[in-house]
Amino acid sequence: QVQLVESGGGLVQAGGSLRLSCAASGLSFVSYAMGWFRQAPGKEREFVAAISWSGGSTYYADSVKGRFTISRDNAKNTVYLQMNSLKPEDTAVYYCAAVLLGTVHPGLENEYDYWGQGTQVTVSS
């Protein structure tokens, strides 16, 4: 049974930092590209960042480029999202997702095979 479990969310002041983690189990982690998405209240889920199976390629939404960094540790079956210079508009539930063998469209959520349950990030002004 595949499980993706996010952690690291919480409440932070604007300008602060958080690091999200997503621990994967039940799959061959190195065979999967990983992505982070988020959904703010009343809005549709949107792409945040993605990383190839090797970590050699990364992709970011324009809204987080230069502030967020995605990385992975294949030995630990874990993907991370380092979030710096957080803004109130970053407030959302953050989800990690996995896609087998990667995708040429890392920003499209329907490309992904598995999803976590999400972790809440709240940025206060």
Side-chain angles (χ1 to χ4, degrees), residues 2-9 18-27 29-30 32-37 49-51 69-83 94-99 112-119 121:
V2 175
Q3 281 194 310
L4 302 177
V5 180
E6 302 96 335
S7 62
L18 282 174
R19 187 176 83 153
L20 304 183
S21 300
C22 171
S25 60
L27 51 71
F29 188 67
V30 297
Y32 285 78
M34 301 296 294
W36 285 97
F37 290 75
I51 188 166
T69 302
I70 189 171
S71 62
R72 66 189 294 159
D73 185 338
N74 286 344
K76 295 183 178 180
N77 286 8
T78 301
V79 62
Y80 305 97
L81 185 68
Q82 177 67 43
M83 305 187 295
Y94 283 71
Y95 299 89
C96 72
V99 53
Y112 289 80
D113 302 304
Y114 300 105
W115 291 83
Q117 292 300 303
T119 186
V121 172

Side-chain angles (χ1 to χ4, degrees), residues 61-109:
D62 288 342
S63 59
V64 307
K65 207 170 290 184
R67 300 188 298 123
F68 290 11
T69 302
I70 189 171
S71 62
R72 66 189 294 159
D73 185 338
N74 286 344
K76 295 183 178 180
N77 286 8
T78 301
V79 62
Y80 305 97
L81 185 68
Q82 177 67 43
M83 305 187 295
N84 298 330
S85 302
L86 282 160
K87 304 175 181 180
E89 51 263 45
D90 294 317
T91 294
V93 177
Y94 283 71
Y95 299 89
C96 72
V99 53
L100 180 62
L101 300 179
T103 170
V104 296
H105 303 291
L108 297 182
E109 62 176 278

